[in-house]
Amino acid sequence: MKIGICQVSLSEGKYKDNIAIIKKNLEQHSKNKCDILCFPELCITGYDFDVVKENIADERKIMSALAQKYNQAVFAGISVKEEDGFYDAACFWDEDGRLLCEYKKIHLWGDERDFFKHGDCYKIFEYRSWRIGIIICADLGFAEITKAMALEGCDLVLCPTAWFSPYHEMLRLMVKARACENQMYVAAVDRASGDMPLCGHSLISDPMGEAVAESFTEKSDYIEADIFFEEVIKAREIVPWLKMRFPEMYNKWNL
């Protein structure tokens, strides 16, 4: 499977401009024949909560239409409205524009907690024989989620982020740790610096914690990597962390 990471610079609240940037990247990179093209957290509205509240654009439909137009599976962070409020979400559309999975962010950061509702469950779905999980940004700091996914046979985790500069080393560490402790691929697509001082440095880590593709800039960038299911199997044989667990002990400690 080939994954493409679109590390784009976006503007808060300028959703028409941001959609144009997403479309431009799809036009350019869908030619690369990637199985999945990934975009960052809140890639349409950014963090302008007033614009999110106005709910002018149906972000699910917009991304679905783009996936269908370019015959390209797309993963992206968006805002969604439900009856009980708004959520910071991440969704996966296949090449026909069908929504295969939607995850609502659990661990909200800073001002997000004052506006968004938090999700209450993780999500795993299947695409082209891969079991894929979704987390968002600050969720990377909570190993419990990816561990639960790994125990359900997850092979790949996709993570859209809006990670602040200058903390790109923390982002790299979190991605690689979540990958190697669970022997699965983790792909983090960060926003490039723009209206907000975000750090870029998106990366894809293999199941042994080695970066197989990495951006080395805060600016707009594109990276891609081929990933292999056999590497997941091999890593879990070499370092059998999942088989060495003592869940009864962790439960005793209320972990």
Side-chain angles (χ1 to χ4, degrees):
M1 177 179 283
K2 179 185 287 188
I3 301 176
I5 300 289
C6 299
Q7 179 176 292
V8 290
S9 179
L10 304 168
S11 301
E12 311 312 311
K14 297 180 180 178
Y15 66 93
K16 292 182 179 179
D17 292 345
N18 295 335
I19 292 169
I21 290 170
I22 293 167
K23 183 178 179 180
K24 181 179 179 180
N25 274 263
L26 280 166
E27 287 177 348
Q28 180 177 356
H29 300 303
S30 61
K31 299 173 184 177
N32 295 10
K33 304 299 182 183
C34 287
D35 295 279
I36 308 169
L37 276 182
C38 302
F39 292 88
E41 182 179 10
L42 296 174
C43 65
I44 292 180
T45 62
Y47 280 89
D48 189 324
F49 298 142
D50 289 334
V51 170
V52 175
K53 189 179 294 185
E54 290 171 7
N55 200 35
I56 297 172
D58 187 329
E59 298 181 44
R60 291 186 183 105
K61 288 185 178 179
I62 290 169
M63 296 306 297
S64 172
L66 289 173
Q68 186 176 27
K69 178 178 180 179
Y70 293 101
N71 191 35
Q72 173 67 65
V74 175
F75 173 73
I78 63 172
S79 64
V80 299
K81 182 182 180 181
E82 303 289 7
E83 290 184 0
D84 61 341
F86 295 92
Y87 289 86
D88 183 339
C91 301
F92 187 100
W93 298 266
D94 71 9
E95 57 274 17
D96 295 318
R98 293 176 297 187
L99 179 62
L100 298 191
C101 188
E102 179 175 289
Y103 164 74
K104 296 179 174 68
K105 187 175 181 179
I106 294 174
H107 300 97
L108 299 172
W109 180 270
D111 293 344
E112 294 173 358
R113 293 193 294 265
D114 298 325
F115 179 75
F116 290 116
K117 302 284 186 179
H118 67 79
D120 59 5
C121 62
Y122 61 85
K123 295 290 183 72
I124 299 174
F125 67 101
E126 293 192 6
Y127 181 70
R128 298 190 177 179
S129 300
W130 285 74
R131 287 180 60 76
I132 303 173
I134 301 174
I135 57 176
I136 301 174
C137 204
D139 289 330
L140 274 168
F142 298 86
E144 296 89 342
I145 302 179
T146 46
K147 184 63 68 183
M149 291 177 176
L151 292 170
E152 289 195 27
C154 186
D155 312 305
L156 163 67
V157 168
L158 301 176
C159 178
T161 76
W163 205 276
F164 279 92
S165 181
Y167 305 110
H168 62 273
E169 285 298 334
M170 184 187 298
L171 175 62
R172 293 181 71 252
L173 175 63
M174 293 288 186
V175 171
K176 297 172 78 168
R178 299 294 85 83
C180 71
E181 70 192 5
N182 296 297
Q183 294 87 49
M184 58 189 182
Y185 286 94
V186 177
V189 49
D190 194 21
R191 282 175 57 181
S193 185
D195 288 354
M196 297 170 61
L198 303 176
C199 71
H201 286 79
S202 302
L203 72 155
I204 302 170
S205 175
D206 75 7
M208 295 297 283
E210 296 290 334
V212 294
E214 187 168 6
S215 172
F216 297 97
T217 180
E218 294 184 358
K219 299 179 181 179
S220 295
D221 199 6
Y222 173 79
I223 60 172
E224 64 180 37
D226 290 304
I227 65 173
F228 304 95
F229 183 69
E230 296 79 8
E231 293 299 316
V232 177
I233 297 173
K234 183 169 70 173
R236 289 177 177 172
E237 291 174 351
I238 295 172
V239 187
W241 297 126
L242 298 178
K243 294 180 180 179
M244 295 169 59
R245 297 178 69 254
F246 287 101
E248 66 279 4
M249 188 176 299
Y250 314 143
N251 292 336
K252 182 174 64 177
W253 297 336
N254 294 319
L255 294 177

